[in-house]
Amino acid sequence: IGHGQIPVGVSANLNLDLKNWIWSTAGLYSLADKPEGTADLLFGARMLDMDQTLNWSITGTIPGLPPAAQSGTATASTNNWDAIVGVKGRIRLGTEGKWFIPYYLDVGTGESRFTWQGVAGIGYQFGWGSVIAAWRYLDYDFKSGQVVESLNMNGGAIGVQFSF
């Protein structure tokens, strides 16, 4: 202001800790099992148990304001159950069917307004089982008035499936 320096210094330290447990359980009904691939209808439930903790510390000097540091903690937790329905399976590639595209899609509702999950990737079938690399996306739209309004998570995954 007026080409002068304002003696202001502010420092903030924020730490967000988010812990989630997500459990899905479902029964399957086989829709198709052909050389080209498989498709199963699923009915079940998904549970989300989420704990969030935000710790903050803000210090600074602003002329005319008290120099006291501000710090605190805020927490938010929720436990959410939803009924889900969806489809899962694999599309076999090539004549031998060793390579395949796994897919999974479900939608649900219950304690949340709407939730959905999708998984797609690439896999290789061995005699003992299969190895899969996939991308997963999970989205929640919670009902109004809950501590968290929406949540989405996504990322890559590598998995091993044993067949016996």
Side-chain angles (χ1 to χ4, degrees), residues 46-83:
R46 180 168 42 246
M47 185 272 299
L48 166 69
D49 185 29
M50 178 175 54
D51 293 314
Q52 298 180 52
T53 304
L54 174 64
N55 295 305
W56 72 86
S57 174
I58 301 172
T59 58
T61 56
I62 300 175
L65 296 178
Q70 299 291 323
S71 64
T73 299
T75 61
S77 298
T78 189
N79 188 288
N80 196 80
W81 282 92
D82 292 301

Side-chain angles (χ1 to χ4, degrees), residues 2-92:
H3 302 289
Q5 296 285 332
I6 299 176
V8 176
V10 176
S11 175
N13 183 14
L14 304 169
N15 180 24
L16 177 64
D17 184 32
L18 175 65
K19 292 182 178 148
N20 292 327
W21 283 95
I22 301 168
W23 294 88
S24 296
T25 182
L28 301 175
Y29 177 78
S30 179
L31 297 173
D33 189 0
K34 299 181 177 185
E36 303 87 37
T38 65
D40 298 318
L41 187 62
L42 65 94
F43 298 93
R46 180 168 42 246
M47 185 272 299
L48 166 69
D49 185 29
M50 178 175 54
D51 293 314
Q52 298 180 52
T53 304
L54 174 64
N55 295 305
W56 72 86
S57 174
I58 301 172
T59 58
T61 56
I62 300 175
L65 296 178
Q70 299 291 323
S71 64
T73 299
T75 61
S77 298
T78 189
N79 188 288
N80 196 80
W81 282 92
D82 292 301
I84 57 172
V85 60
V87 63
K88 71 175 272 305
R90 52 175 66 180
I91 300 167
R92 294 185 183 103

